[in-house]
Amino acid sequence: MVNALVLAALSVLSTVYACGDHDAHDHSKRAVPPKPLTPPSRALEWGDINILHTTDSHGWLLGHQKTSFPEPNYSGDLGDFSSFVTRMKEIAIVCLAFFTNVCAWNNQNDRKKMSICYLLTLVTCMTVGHPSAVLTARVTSCGLIGTGLTDGFPPGGVDAHEANQFLQQLPYDVMAIGNHELYIYANTLDMHNNFAPKLKGRYLSSNVNITIADKKGKTSSVPVGSRFAKFKTRKGRKITAFGVLFDFTGNDKNTTVQKVADMVKEKWFADAIREEPDLFLLAGHMPIARDNWPLVFDAVRAVHPSTPIIILGGHTHIRDCCAKLDRKGSKKNITFSRRYLDPNRLTYEFHSGRAKAAFDTFKGLSITRGLKALAKKFDIDFLFGTAPHDFTINQVPYPSENSLLTLFIEEASPIATAINNTRASIPKLMITNSGSQRFDIYAGPFTKNDQLTSSPFADHFLFIPNVTFSAASQVLPALNHAGADQRRSVREELERREREMYARGYVDRRYNEWLEEMDRRSGAERRAAGNLTLGYVTTDACPGIGDDTLHAPLPFHSVPDFIGSRAPNVTADAPVDLVFVDFIQTQLLGILNSVQKDKTYAVSDVQQYSPLLTSEILGVYAQQAWN
Ligand SMILES: *[C@@H]1O[C@H](CO)[C@@H](O)[C@H](O)[C@H]1NC(C)=O
Ligand SMILES: *[C@@H]1O[C@H](CO)[C@@H](O)[C@H](O)[C@H]1NC(C)=O
Ligand SMILES: *[C@@H]1O[C@H](CO)[C@@H](O)[C@H](O)[C@H]1NC(C)=O
Ligand SMILES: *[C@@H]1O[C@H](CO)[C@@H](O)[C@H](O)[C@H]1NC(C)=O
Ligand SMILES: *[C@@H]1O[C@H](CO)[C@@H](O)[C@H](O)[C@H]1NC(C)=O
Ligand SMILES: *[C@@H]1O[C@H](CO)[C@@H](O)[C@H](O)[C@H]1NC(C)=O
Ligand SMILES: *[C@@H]1O[C@H](CO)[C@@H](O)[C@H](O)[C@H]1NC(C)=O
Ligand SMILES: CC(=O)N[C@H]1CO[C@H](CO)[C@@H](O)[C@@H]1O
């Protein structure tokens, strides 16, 4: 039996959080959320092979620290997780190992007694029933859109370099490369030079290479980590593992992502799968549904019709499972089960059967201490102000008082960009894409870390002066395809952009569809029942309930693709500044030229509106308005 315990994506994109004691400078109160957490619903099932699988933790190594729901559910930090892994491995091995030692110690000179002792031990352990090793697999993605722990490095540093010192202390048997390791060459090089060697052949990049120069300046393309790994579990089961990345196109120069379809045709791949292991472990930063896993699966199946294959996916931040790839059913009688754990101490303590100090390991505590020291070193708790209440992206309608999008475009952007700006007094309309805001803001301290998390994109505000208000006011509805003329082309453009964005690593659309579906399916009833706490409610294609802790889903409201500031109180023919983010310049010019015919606007009409970057807006605003 194969057992996958999936520690859900730490919900980078859409939930929220704040320090328990309202003290932004102290992460030490973590792990003691003010509201009681709901414990897991039932004990885990153990099998012959047990896998702990984490994915998409990005920079959330200190866990989610805010007190607004459901953030405390994701409050476990990497140190807690390290202790959990140790405790689960102990449960798997301690029985035999412990009693074997006891037998040997007590019966040193009596072989017969020793044999009986062994036999009794064996029977006891079999009855207790924890026969196997725990493998740990991580489908990685560090850097960007993480938190200050990875992205908050001082000038001259390398994204995630410091945080990786902690990750590499966990006993991952297999780790697969993710897209965020590839946006900036220096980050990839750091993974290749410093991180991969620490993983000793277990950092897998089956289809990802980096181009490096040797001492003589001669360049060559080599795998970032290893292409595959073959190893044995503690009980001697042979594993052949790969680490595959989806067909990602947003990678930097001098890095290569080979298409999955081409990878499976490589000679090295054929050579690697020729020998039959007990299990193929296909780990990879690629969602298990709607992506290229079947290509890898079929390539293995063509050679080995019945060898167990387990696929560990990731990337879209959703909980998902399907057991359908084997259409004819395997000849070997294997069973499989999976469980999605909320990553918090309560979950870890419940399943390890140890609480508080008895749960923590020395290494776990030292990782937590180290991460806190790193947070301090990067000054990620620098306080901009105190948010008066929660501002969320999808939990409330847009526009509304508690909408982060409303806050950003109607309040924060106009106020922050007006500071030291000679055009401040000129009426304006501001437009940005809603995807620019990545994470909710929760009531309480708003820190440098929160700013990085909510608004990671460093776009410039540009503007076109002297646009008539009547023309400017048509641009936003047209961008959102409300105007009949533009509807088809804009929709097509958005679809095209969506496909392109997915290939470049953006996953909001899929993650949001998942949240929306869980709310539509059962949101109203489950919340009304009043006996469930908020969190993920997973419906997947594997049998039984996958969620470890039962929840009611968060409310979900969809938002338009583009959002705008409040209209100034001016006449239709009055000149206004049309302000927008550089990211949407091409589309905006096209639309502006289609809604009016007085003038053909071109890139030469566009100027910089403010030296402030979009990633700085919330901090500047909070310093003004939330102090
Ligand atoms: C790629 O790396 C090589 C070797 O370091 C270097 O000479 C070359 O300029 C790089 N190319 C780009 C486009 O960065
Ligand atoms: C990756 O590196 C290996 C080893 O140098 C090389 O043989 C292979 O052609 C490279 N693959 C790609 C897709 O660049
Ligand atoms: C397969 O496993 C199931 C459940 O453990 C068991 O009932 C069945 O008899 C097994 N079949 C074979 C062919 O071993
Ligand atoms: C505005 O100008 C003052 C004085 O030069 C400066 O201290 C301040 O940082 C500026 N504020 C912004 C948001 O640029
Ligand atoms: C806006 O137009 C007025 C006249 O209509 C002109 O004087 C002014 O220079 C223009 N401003 C810019 C920034 O182009
Ligand atoms: C919650 O309440 C509903 C309706 O009263 C009930 O069917 C369900 O079993 C309860 N769930 C839990 C986890 O107590
Ligand atoms: C808009 O401006 C007009 C003319 O200056 C003024 O009478 C009116 O009260 C303003 N409306 C609002 C809502 O400020
Ligand atoms: C499982 C779990 O921890 N659920 C918690 C999620 O967060 C809310 C708000 O803090 C709690 O009430 C739940 O118990």
Side-chain angles (χ1 to χ4, degrees):
M1 177 171 172
V2 179
N3 211 313
L5 311 177
V6 182
L7 288 152
L10 300 180
S11 168
V12 180
L13 295 180
S14 147
T15 15
V16 192
Y17 81 134
C19 271
D21 51 0
H22 286 223
D23 176 357
H25 300 275
D26 186 7
H27 271 287
S28 66
K29 300 296 194 299
R30 91 197 159 79
V32 192
K35 292 173 208 158
L37 295 180
T38 315
S41 52
R42 60 219 190 271
L44 296 172
E45 293 167 50
W46 285 76
D48 295 331
I49 294 178
N50 303 284
I51 300 174
L52 286 167
H53 167 211
T54 61
T55 181
D56 292 280
S57 32
H58 291 266
W60 294 84
L61 303 183
L62 272 173
H64 289 225
Q65 305 298 327
K66 302 286 184 180
T67 55
S68 296
F69 64 79
E71 288 300 284
N73 303 329
Y74 318 123
S75 57
D77 67 29
L78 188 73
D80 299 329
F81 179 63
S82 168
S83 299
F84 179 58
V85 173
T86 303
R87 297 308 178 204
M88 296 308 272
K89 280 180 179 284
E90 278 170 9
I91 291 176
I93 65 174
V94 90
C95 191
L96 278 174
F98 179 74
F99 286 105
T100 302
N101 283 339
V102 171
C103 290
W105 179 257
N106 287 337
N107 307 289
Q108 285 174 28
N109 302 317
D110 189 334
R111 293 183 66 91
K112 196 173 156 197
K113 270 194 185 167
M114 201 144 88
S115 303
I116 294 170
C117 183
Y118 278 139
L119 202 65
L120 284 175
T121 296
L122 203 62
V123 171
T124 313
C125 291
M126 300 279 269
T127 319
V128 177
H130 295 151
S132 178
V134 174
L135 291 173
T136 321
R138 173 170 189 261
V139 178
T140 180
S141 228
C142 46
L144 189 79
I145 66 154
T147 72
L149 281 177
T150 46
D151 307 351
F153 58 91
V158 172
D159 201 317
H161 175 83
E162 307 258 351
N164 278 345
Q165 315 299 314
F166 302 101
L167 268 180
Q168 72 202 24
Q169 292 181 38
L170 274 89
Y172 279 105
D173 294 285
V174 161
M175 213 188 265
I177 197 167
N179 52 307
H180 284 289
E181 287 83 320
L182 299 170
Y183 288 100
I184 296 170
Y185 179 78
N187 299 349
T188 321
L189 188 65
D190 185 50
M191 297 307 281
H192 176 71
N193 285 342
N194 301 315
F195 189 75
K198 295 285 180 353
L199 273 273
K200 298 192 166 48
R202 303 296 183 82
Y203 181 66
L204 303 181
S205 62
S206 302
N207 60 335
V208 186
N209 274 16
I210 181 168
T211 303
I212 50 169
D214 67 13
K215 290 202 185 74
K216 290 176 194 140
K218 190 168 166 290
T219 62
S220 56
S221 174
V222 295
V224 179
S226 306
R227 281 170 157 169
F228 63 92
K230 294 189 179 191
F231 59 97
K232 281 188 181 163
T233 68
R234 199 184 52 81
K235 294 194 74 185
R237 289 200 173 77
K238 285 187 280 177
I239 312 278
T240 297
F242 296 88
V244 187
L245 180 65
F246 70 98
D247 290 349
F248 173 56
T249 61
N251 55 308
D252 202 357
K253 305 243 168 58
N254 276 340
T255 69
T256 316
V257 180
Q258 186 181 34
K259 290 224 179 323
V260 179
D262 294 331
M263 179 198 81
V264 298
K265 291 182 203 141
E266 292 269 1
K267 180 173 180 301
W268 71 261
F269 184 81
D271 291 344
I273 64 172
R274 185 164 304 127
E275 182 193 12
E276 186 187 14
D278 293 304
L279 176 78
F280 282 101
L281 184 63
L282 311 183
H285 203 74
M286 177 155 79
I288 59 154
R290 296 193 282 181
D291 216 307
N292 282 326
W293 279 120
L295 294 174
V296 192
F297 180 87
D298 291 345
V300 175
R301 266 289 165 267
V303 183
H304 302 288
S306 64
T307 312
I309 298 176
I310 184 157
I311 299 177
L312 303 173
H315 184 53
T316 42
H317 302 182
I318 72 172
R319 295 175 170 186
D320 201 6
C321 171
C322 61
K324 280 192 195 143
L325 289 174
D326 266 320
R327 285 159 281 264
K328 279 178 285 175
S330 163
K331 270 179 265 153
K332 295 183 182 166
N333 196 7
I334 54 166
T335 57
F336 164 86
S337 79
R338 53 76 184 87
R339 189 80 64 81
Y340 307 107
L341 310 188
D342 285 354
N344 59 56
R345 280 184 68 101
L346 186 68
T347 295
Y348 299 157
E349 292 182 359
F350 181 97
H351 290 306
S352 66
R354 284 164 175 264
K356 303 200 169 78
F359 165 78
D360 291 308
T361 62
F362 180 76
K363 188 200 260 177
L365 291 173
S366 106
I367 289 175
T368 301
R369 262 199 314 275
L371 285 167
K372 283 187 202 157
L374 180 59
K376 201 163 185 176
K377 183 172 152 197
F378 283 0
D379 197 22
I380 65 175
D381 288 335
F382 175 83
L383 186 67
F384 287 122
T386 305
H389 53 78
D390 293 354
F391 295 91
T392 65
I393 299 173
N394 293 109
Q395 291 176 37
V396 295
Y398 166 83
S400 70
E401 197 196 337
N402 293 351
S403 161
L404 173 58
L405 301 180
T406 301
L407 174 78
F408 185 79
I409 199 65
E410 292 187 10
E411 303 291 333
S413 297
I415 290 175
T417 58
I419 299 170
N420 298 347
N421 191 335
T422 53
R423 300 194 70 84
S425 62
I426 299 169
K428 61 178 176 271
L429 264 179
M430 304 187 82
I431 296 176
T432 187
N433 58 317
S434 57
S436 66
Q437 302 308 298
R438 306 286 295 211
F439 198 80
D440 304 339
I441 291 177
Y442 291 98
F446 182 76
T447 64
K448 185 175 150 196
N449 190 42
D450 298 325
Q451 176 180 250
L452 256 171
T453 308
S454 292
S455 249
F457 297 113
D459 293 324
H460 284 280
F461 275 111
L462 308 177
F463 81 110
I464 302 174
N466 284 0
V467 179
T468 60
F469 175 63
S470 64
S473 61
Q474 291 174 62
V475 172
L476 178 64
L479 274 169
N480 278 323
H481 58 84
D485 293 351
Q486 290 82 20
R487 180 177 300 226
R488 184 177 299 127
S489 65
V490 171
R491 183 72 354 237
E492 276 166 7
E493 170 61 16
L494 282 174
E495 293 290 339
R496 192 194 58 73
R497 220 160 52 110
E498 176 60 30
R499 280 193 301 277
E500 187 187 307
M501 297 280 279
Y502 180 77
R504 285 164 54 197
Y506 293 91
V507 296
D508 306 32
R509 161 90 78 103
R510 291 214 181 157
Y511 178 67
N512 282 339
E513 279 170 3
W514 185 59
L515 294 180
E516 188 166 18
E517 188 199 69
M518 74 176 70
D519 180 35
R520 199 174 47 229
R521 202 185 284 267
S522 65
E525 308 92 273
R526 278 178 170 256
R527 285 191 295 272
N531 57 358
L532 294 168
T533 55
L534 291 166
Y536 295 132
V537 181
T538 309
T539 321
D540 62 21
C542 290
I545 294 172
D547 291 323
D548 189 46
T549 302
L550 305 179
H551 291 293
L554 288 163
F556 186 93
H557 298 267
S558 50
V559 299
D561 293 315
F562 298 94
I563 54 176
S565 58
R566 276 188 298 265
N569 181 17
V570 295
T571 54
D573 58 352
V576 300
D577 284 346
L578 180 58
V579 186
F580 53 94
V581 286
D582 52 7
F583 170 67
I584 64 172
Q585 172 170 303
T586 311
Q587 274 175 296
L588 185 127
L589 283 172
I591 295 234
L592 181 57
N593 287 328
S594 73
V595 298
Q596 56 79 44
K597 295 286 168 236
D598 302 341
K599 180 175 158 89
T600 304
Y601 289 93
V603 176
S604 55
D605 296 306
V606 177
Q607 303 171 36
Q608 182 166 308
Y609 188 70
S610 160
L612 278 184
L613 297 170
T614 49
S615 54
E616 297 167 319
I617 293 290
L618 289 170
V620 171
Y621 170 77
Q623 280 180 317
Q624 280 245 317
W626 290 348
N627 264 310

